[in-house]
Amino acid sequence: MKITKLNDLYFKEYISSKDLQQIVTSLAKQVKDDLPPNEVPMFVGILNGCFVFAADFLRAYKGTCEISFVKLASYEGTSSSENVKKLIGINEDLTDRTVIILEDIIDTGTTLHEIYEIFRHKNVKELKIATLFFKPDVYRKELPIEYIGKNIDDKFIVGYGLDYNGLGRNLPAIYQLTTQPKMTNIVLFGPPGAGKGTQADLLKEKYNLVHISTGDVFRFNIKNETELGMLAKSYMDAGNLVPDEVTINMLKAEVNKNTDAKGFIFDGFPRTESQAIALDTFLAEKNERINGMVALEVSEDLLVERLLERGKTSGRTDDTDESKIRNRFNEYNTKTAVLKDFYQDQGNYYGIDGVGDIKDITKRLSDVFDKL
Ligand code: AMP
């Protein structure tokens, strides 16, 4: 589940693209099952919003059919009190055809009513309506709606063809209006030894954010011999990742401890795609989101040297043995590195050069933090 921003407003994922596919497929099946076997229906999509739904619906419809699109345009008549509505785009002869109107969403029903009236006078054999979404609480008309994909509350939605001020039609899922996030949440990313911990300590002061290092939390638990510590120890000692479920629950508990936080710097989390998805969902439930992933980019060879050097003083058992270090990189390369794509796909990835003076790197990071 994600939060996205369009112009000045924030939207939270409401219906996933997978659920949409199921709704559309079942709608297409219902329509087909109700028609006589040899009937060739004419689907009529009402632009603009329906274009994504209509495209998916058509491919899910298992039968011979035609499609056309119309648009309802209002134009001023000769007298200023006259506001005439006109359908543009329908050129086909519809005499004796079965016409099924495809709508993306029906709320008050006003537009639909006007379109219906126009089609009623075209000598069609049958006229039916199929809509992806229906808002039963605001519908004001008597017109029967034969096929409804999903009933929804009267909330503003975008995505999957629907827009807010022209934006958001390309979102693959349906998003619902939500409140503006209050926090700034940043994922500080990079391979082991990239300097995330050092930089997070400096940046948390500067930006008044809470720093959560999952590695530190695990080490704290190991030191205090808690149940969680005992569980994590064998994985950590071998340079393996601790299982997702354990790590995700721990992370959530850490976030929930800090109810007054202005935001978080996440260091060492997420490290797998399912951790990243869990984090998005968890934050979206709080109407919050990740503002960005800021990554320290450093080559692996330089890092192995750094870690062995750190191992001389850090007291970290996973820093002293080169084979364990190599295993941590293996875990990073096979499970964690993909997160770059995950955040890049959200338009949320910011890579910076992690080689150089600590101060210079802090400056580079701050330049990105300031934008977020
Ligand atoms: P770090 O201090 O971030 O280098 O983490 C040290 C070790 O803690 C890792 O090698 C893992 O064994 C474990 N660990 C820390 N964060 C995570 C995470 N998000 N998922 C799984 N294991 C983790």
Short mmCIF file of all heavy atoms in Angstrom, two decimals, residues 237-279:
data_model
loop_
_atom_site.label_atom_id
_atom_site.label_comp_id
_atom_site.label_asym_id
_atom_site.label_seq_id
_atom_site.Cartn_x
_atom_site.Cartn_y
_atom_site.Cartn_z
N ASP A 237 25.52 -13.75 13.50
CA ASP A 237 26.90 -14.25 13.58
C ASP A 237 27.37 -14.82 12.25
O ASP A 237 28.54 -14.70 11.89
CB ASP A 237 27.02 -15.31 14.69
CG ASP A 237 27.09 -14.65 16.06
OD1 ASP A 237 27.27 -13.41 16.09
OD2 ASP A 237 26.95 -15.35 17.09
N ALA A 238 26.44 -15.43 11.52
CA ALA A 238 26.82 -16.02 10.24
C ALA A 238 26.79 -15.00 9.10
O ALA A 238 27.14 -15.33 7.96
CB ALA A 238 25.88 -17.17 9.93
N GLY A 239 26.34 -13.78 9.41
CA GLY A 239 26.24 -12.77 8.35
C GLY A 239 24.99 -12.93 7.50
O GLY A 239 24.89 -12.39 6.41
N ASN A 240 24.02 -13.71 8.02
CA ASN A 240 22.75 -13.87 7.30
C ASN A 240 21.73 -12.85 7.79
O ASN A 240 21.86 -12.32 8.88
CB ASN A 240 22.18 -15.27 7.55
CG ASN A 240 23.02 -16.34 6.90
OD1 ASN A 240 23.58 -16.13 5.82
ND2 ASN A 240 23.14 -17.49 7.55
N LEU A 241 20.69 -12.68 6.98
CA LEU A 241 19.61 -11.80 7.41
C LEU A 241 18.74 -12.53 8.43
O LEU A 241 18.50 -13.73 8.31
CB LEU A 241 18.75 -11.37 6.23
CG LEU A 241 19.38 -10.44 5.18
CD1 LEU A 241 18.32 -10.00 4.18
CD2 LEU A 241 20.01 -9.22 5.84
N VAL A 242 18.25 -11.78 9.40
CA VAL A 242 17.27 -12.31 10.35
C VAL A 242 15.95 -12.44 9.58
O VAL A 242 15.66 -11.61 8.72
CB VAL A 242 17.14 -11.34 11.56
CG1 VAL A 242 16.10 -11.81 12.54
CG2 VAL A 242 18.50 -11.15 12.23
N PRO A 243 15.13 -13.49 9.85
CA PRO A 243 13.89 -13.67 9.07
C PRO A 243 12.99 -12.42 9.08
O PRO A 243 12.91 -11.70 10.08
CB PRO A 243 13.19 -14.84 9.77
CG PRO A 243 14.29 -15.60 10.42
CD PRO A 243 15.33 -14.59 10.81
N ASP A 244 12.32 -12.21 7.95
CA ASP A 244 11.49 -11.01 7.75
C ASP A 244 10.48 -10.77 8.85
O ASP A 244 10.33 -9.66 9.35
CB ASP A 244 10.74 -11.11 6.41
CG ASP A 244 11.64 -10.71 5.24
OD1 ASP A 244 12.64 -10.02 5.47
OD2 ASP A 244 11.32 -11.11 4.11
N GLU A 245 9.76 -11.83 9.22
CA GLU A 245 8.66 -11.64 10.16
C GLU A 245 9.16 -11.06 11.49
O GLU A 245 8.58 -10.13 12.04
CB GLU A 245 7.97 -12.98 10.38
CG GLU A 245 6.55 -12.84 10.87
CD GLU A 245 5.99 -14.14 11.39
OE1 GLU A 245 6.26 -15.19 10.77
OE2 GLU A 245 5.30 -14.10 12.42
N VAL A 246 10.26 -11.62 11.95
CA VAL A 246 10.86 -11.16 13.21
C VAL A 246 11.28 -9.69 13.09
O VAL A 246 10.98 -8.84 13.94
CB VAL A 246 12.13 -12.01 13.53
CG1 VAL A 246 12.81 -11.52 14.80
CG2 VAL A 246 11.75 -13.48 13.63
N THR A 247 11.97 -9.40 11.99
CA THR A 247 12.51 -8.05 11.80
C THR A 247 11.39 -7.02 11.62
O THR A 247 11.44 -5.93 12.19
CB THR A 247 13.43 -8.04 10.56
OG1 THR A 247 14.32 -9.14 10.65
CG2 THR A 247 14.23 -6.77 10.50
N ILE A 248 10.38 -7.39 10.85
CA ILE A 248 9.28 -6.45 10.60
C ILE A 248 8.53 -6.13 11.90
O ILE A 248 8.25 -4.96 12.21
CB ILE A 248 8.31 -7.01 9.53
CG1 ILE A 248 9.01 -7.02 8.15
CG2 ILE A 248 7.02 -6.21 9.46
CD1 ILE A 248 8.30 -7.85 7.09
N ASN A 249 8.24 -7.16 12.68
CA ASN A 249 7.54 -6.92 13.95
C ASN A 249 8.36 -6.05 14.88
O ASN A 249 7.82 -5.16 15.57
CB ASN A 249 7.19 -8.24 14.63
CG ASN A 249 6.05 -8.93 13.92
OD1 ASN A 249 5.26 -8.28 13.24
ND2 ASN A 249 5.97 -10.25 14.05
N MET A 250 9.66 -6.28 14.89
CA MET A 250 10.53 -5.49 15.75
C MET A 250 10.53 -4.02 15.30
O MET A 250 10.42 -3.10 16.10
CB MET A 250 11.95 -6.05 15.69
CG MET A 250 12.91 -5.30 16.55
SD MET A 250 14.58 -5.83 16.22
CE MET A 250 15.00 -4.80 14.84
N LEU A 251 10.62 -3.83 14.01
CA LEU A 251 10.65 -2.46 13.45
C LEU A 251 9.37 -1.70 13.81
O LEU A 251 9.41 -0.54 14.24
CB LEU A 251 10.83 -2.56 11.94
CG LEU A 251 11.12 -1.33 11.07
CD1 LEU A 251 9.84 -0.60 10.68
CD2 LEU A 251 12.12 -0.36 11.67
N LYS A 252 8.24 -2.39 13.65
CA LYS A 252 6.95 -1.75 13.96
C LYS A 252 6.91 -1.34 15.43
O LYS A 252 6.47 -0.24 15.76
CB LYS A 252 5.79 -2.71 13.67
CG LYS A 252 5.53 -2.93 12.19
CD LYS A 252 4.32 -3.83 12.02
CE LYS A 252 4.05 -4.12 10.56
NZ LYS A 252 2.96 -5.08 10.37
N ALA A 253 7.39 -2.22 16.29
CA ALA A 253 7.39 -1.91 17.72
C ALA A 253 8.27 -0.70 18.00
O ALA A 253 7.89 0.18 18.79
CB ALA A 253 7.87 -3.12 18.52
N GLU A 254 9.41 -0.60 17.34
CA GLU A 254 10.30 0.55 17.54
C GLU A 254 9.63 1.85 17.09
O GLU A 254 9.72 2.88 17.76
CB GLU A 254 11.61 0.37 16.75
CG GLU A 254 12.54 -0.68 17.32
CD GLU A 254 13.05 -0.36 18.74
OE1 GLU A 254 13.45 0.80 18.97
OE2 GLU A 254 13.01 -1.25 19.60
N VAL A 255 8.96 1.81 15.95
CA VAL A 255 8.27 3.01 15.47
C VAL A 255 7.17 3.40 16.45
O VAL A 255 7.04 4.57 16.82
CB VAL A 255 7.68 2.77 14.05
CG1 VAL A 255 6.74 3.89 13.65
CG2 VAL A 255 8.81 2.63 13.03
N ASN A 256 6.39 2.42 16.89
CA ASN A 256 5.27 2.71 17.78
C ASN A 256 5.69 3.23 19.15
O ASN A 256 4.89 3.86 19.85
CB ASN A 256 4.38 1.48 17.92
CG ASN A 256 3.59 1.21 16.65
OD1 ASN A 256 3.37 2.12 15.84
ND2 ASN A 256 3.17 -0.03 16.44
N LYS A 257 6.96 2.98 19.52
CA LYS A 257 7.45 3.53 20.80
C LYS A 257 7.61 5.04 20.73
O LYS A 257 7.67 5.70 21.76
CB LYS A 257 8.85 2.95 21.09
CG LYS A 257 8.87 1.61 21.79
CD LYS A 257 10.33 1.27 22.10
CE LYS A 257 10.51 -0.23 22.23
NZ LYS A 257 11.93 -0.62 22.13
N ASN A 258 7.77 5.56 19.52
CA ASN A 258 8.08 6.99 19.34
C ASN A 258 6.89 7.76 18.79
O ASN A 258 6.91 8.22 17.65
CB ASN A 258 9.28 7.14 18.39
CG ASN A 258 10.55 6.59 18.98
OD1 ASN A 258 11.19 7.24 19.80
ND2 ASN A 258 10.91 5.38 18.57
N THR A 259 5.85 7.88 19.61
CA THR A 259 4.62 8.48 19.11
C THR A 259 4.77 9.96 18.75
O THR A 259 4.02 10.47 17.93
CB THR A 259 3.48 8.35 20.15
OG1 THR A 259 4.03 8.63 21.42
CG2 THR A 259 2.88 6.96 20.14
N ASP A 260 5.73 10.65 19.38
CA ASP A 260 5.87 12.08 19.12
C ASP A 260 6.88 12.40 18.02
O ASP A 260 7.16 13.58 17.76
CB ASP A 260 6.32 12.82 20.39
CG ASP A 260 5.29 12.69 21.49
OD1 ASP A 260 4.10 12.51 21.15
OD2 ASP A 260 5.67 12.73 22.68
N ALA A 261 7.43 11.38 17.38
CA ALA A 261 8.51 11.63 16.42
C ALA A 261 8.04 12.48 15.24
O ALA A 261 6.92 12.34 14.76
CB ALA A 261 9.05 10.30 15.90
N LYS A 262 8.92 13.38 14.82
CA LYS A 262 8.65 14.18 13.61
C LYS A 262 8.89 13.34 12.36
O LYS A 262 8.50 13.72 11.26
CB LYS A 262 9.63 15.35 13.56
CG LYS A 262 9.10 16.63 14.18
CD LYS A 262 10.08 17.76 13.90
CE LYS A 262 10.18 18.04 12.40
NZ LYS A 262 11.46 18.64 11.99
N GLY A 263 9.59 12.22 12.57
CA GLY A 263 9.89 11.34 11.46
C GLY A 263 11.06 10.43 11.83
O GLY A 263 11.58 10.53 12.95
N PHE A 264 11.42 9.56 10.91
CA PHE A 264 12.45 8.55 11.21
C PHE A 264 13.52 8.49 10.13
O PHE A 264 13.25 8.76 8.95
CB PHE A 264 11.81 7.16 11.32
CG PHE A 264 10.86 7.02 12.46
CD1 PHE A 264 9.51 7.32 12.31
CD2 PHE A 264 11.31 6.62 13.72
CE1 PHE A 264 8.62 7.21 13.37
CE2 PHE A 264 10.43 6.50 14.79
CZ PHE A 264 9.09 6.80 14.62
N ILE A 265 14.73 8.15 10.58
CA ILE A 265 15.75 7.70 9.63
C ILE A 265 15.85 6.20 9.83
O ILE A 265 16.22 5.73 10.91
CB ILE A 265 17.12 8.35 9.91
CG1 ILE A 265 17.04 9.87 9.77
CG2 ILE A 265 18.18 7.78 8.96
CD1 ILE A 265 18.34 10.59 10.11
N PHE A 266 15.49 5.45 8.82
CA PHE A 266 15.59 3.99 8.89
C PHE A 266 16.95 3.58 8.35
O PHE A 266 17.30 3.91 7.22
CB PHE A 266 14.47 3.33 8.08
CG PHE A 266 13.10 3.62 8.62
CD1 PHE A 266 12.27 4.52 7.99
CD2 PHE A 266 12.65 3.00 9.78
CE1 PHE A 266 11.00 4.80 8.49
CE2 PHE A 266 11.39 3.26 10.30
CZ PHE A 266 10.56 4.18 9.65
N ASP A 267 17.69 2.86 9.20
CA ASP A 267 19.07 2.49 8.84
C ASP A 267 19.16 0.97 8.98
O ASP A 267 18.97 0.42 10.05
CB ASP A 267 19.99 3.27 9.80
CG ASP A 267 21.36 2.63 10.00
OD1 ASP A 267 21.74 1.74 9.24
OD2 ASP A 267 22.04 3.07 10.95
N GLY A 268 19.38 0.31 7.86
CA GLY A 268 19.44 -1.16 7.88
C GLY A 268 18.07 -1.80 7.70
O GLY A 268 17.92 -3.00 7.81
N PHE A 269 17.09 -1.02 7.42
CA PHE A 269 15.73 -1.50 7.15
C PHE A 269 15.10 -0.55 6.13
O PHE A 269 15.25 0.65 6.28
CB PHE A 269 14.89 -1.50 8.44
CG PHE A 269 13.56 -2.18 8.27
CD1 PHE A 269 13.38 -3.50 8.62
CD2 PHE A 269 12.47 -1.47 7.75
CE1 PHE A 269 12.15 -4.13 8.45
CE2 PHE A 269 11.25 -2.10 7.57
CZ PHE A 269 11.09 -3.43 7.94
N PRO A 270 14.40 -1.05 5.13
CA PRO A 270 14.20 -2.46 4.78
C PRO A 270 15.42 -3.07 4.10
O PRO A 270 16.22 -2.37 3.51
CB PRO A 270 13.03 -2.40 3.80
CG PRO A 270 13.12 -1.05 3.17
CD PRO A 270 13.69 -0.14 4.21
N ARG A 271 15.52 -4.38 4.20
CA ARG A 271 16.62 -5.11 3.55
C ARG A 271 16.11 -6.16 2.58
O ARG A 271 16.91 -6.83 1.93
CB ARG A 271 17.46 -5.80 4.61
CG ARG A 271 18.75 -5.06 5.00
CD ARG A 271 19.45 -5.88 6.06
NE ARG A 271 20.85 -5.67 6.20
CZ ARG A 271 21.41 -4.96 7.19
NH1 ARG A 271 20.65 -4.30 8.04
NH2 ARG A 271 22.71 -4.91 7.30
N THR A 272 14.82 -6.33 2.49
CA THR A 272 14.23 -7.24 1.49
C THR A 272 12.99 -6.57 0.93
O THR A 272 12.46 -5.62 1.53
CB THR A 272 13.77 -8.58 2.12
OG1 THR A 272 12.73 -8.29 3.07
CG2 THR A 272 14.90 -9.32 2.81
N GLU A 273 12.53 -7.09 -0.21
CA GLU A 273 11.35 -6.48 -0.82
C GLU A 273 10.13 -6.62 0.09
O GLU A 273 9.33 -5.68 0.19
CB GLU A 273 11.09 -7.10 -2.19
CG GLU A 273 10.04 -6.32 -2.94
CD GLU A 273 10.07 -6.53 -4.44
OE1 GLU A 273 11.15 -6.83 -4.98
OE2 GLU A 273 9.01 -6.40 -5.06
N SER A 274 9.99 -7.75 0.77
CA SER A 274 8.79 -7.86 1.61
C SER A 274 8.87 -6.93 2.81
O SER A 274 7.84 -6.45 3.29
CB SER A 274 8.48 -9.30 2.01
OG SER A 274 9.56 -9.90 2.60
N GLN A 275 10.08 -6.63 3.28
CA GLN A 275 10.20 -5.61 4.34
C GLN A 275 9.78 -4.24 3.81
O GLN A 275 9.12 -3.46 4.51
CB GLN A 275 11.64 -5.54 4.86
CG GLN A 275 12.07 -6.76 5.68
CD GLN A 275 13.50 -6.65 6.20
OE1 GLN A 275 14.12 -5.59 6.18
NE2 GLN A 275 14.04 -7.77 6.69
N ALA A 276 10.16 -3.94 2.57
CA ALA A 276 9.81 -2.64 1.99
C ALA A 276 8.30 -2.51 1.81
O ALA A 276 7.72 -1.46 2.10
CB ALA A 276 10.52 -2.45 0.65
N ILE A 277 7.67 -3.59 1.37
CA ILE A 277 6.21 -3.56 1.19
C ILE A 277 5.53 -3.40 2.55
O ILE A 277 4.61 -2.60 2.72
CB ILE A 277 5.73 -4.84 0.47
CG1 ILE A 277 6.26 -4.85 -0.97
CG2 ILE A 277 4.21 -4.96 0.48
CD1 ILE A 277 6.11 -6.18 -1.70
N ALA A 278 6.03 -4.16 3.55
CA ALA A 278 5.45 -4.07 4.90
C ALA A 278 5.60 -2.66 5.46
O ALA A 278 4.68 -2.14 6.11
CB ALA A 278 6.12 -5.09 5.83
N LEU A 279 6.72 -2.03 5.19
CA LEU A 279 6.94 -0.66 5.69
C LEU A 279 5.97 0.32 5.04
O LEU A 279 5.36 1.16 5.72
CB LEU A 279 8.39 -0.25 5.43
CG LEU A 279 8.82 1.13 5.94
CD1 LEU A 279 8.67 1.22 7.46
CD2 LEU A 279 10.27 1.44 5.55
#
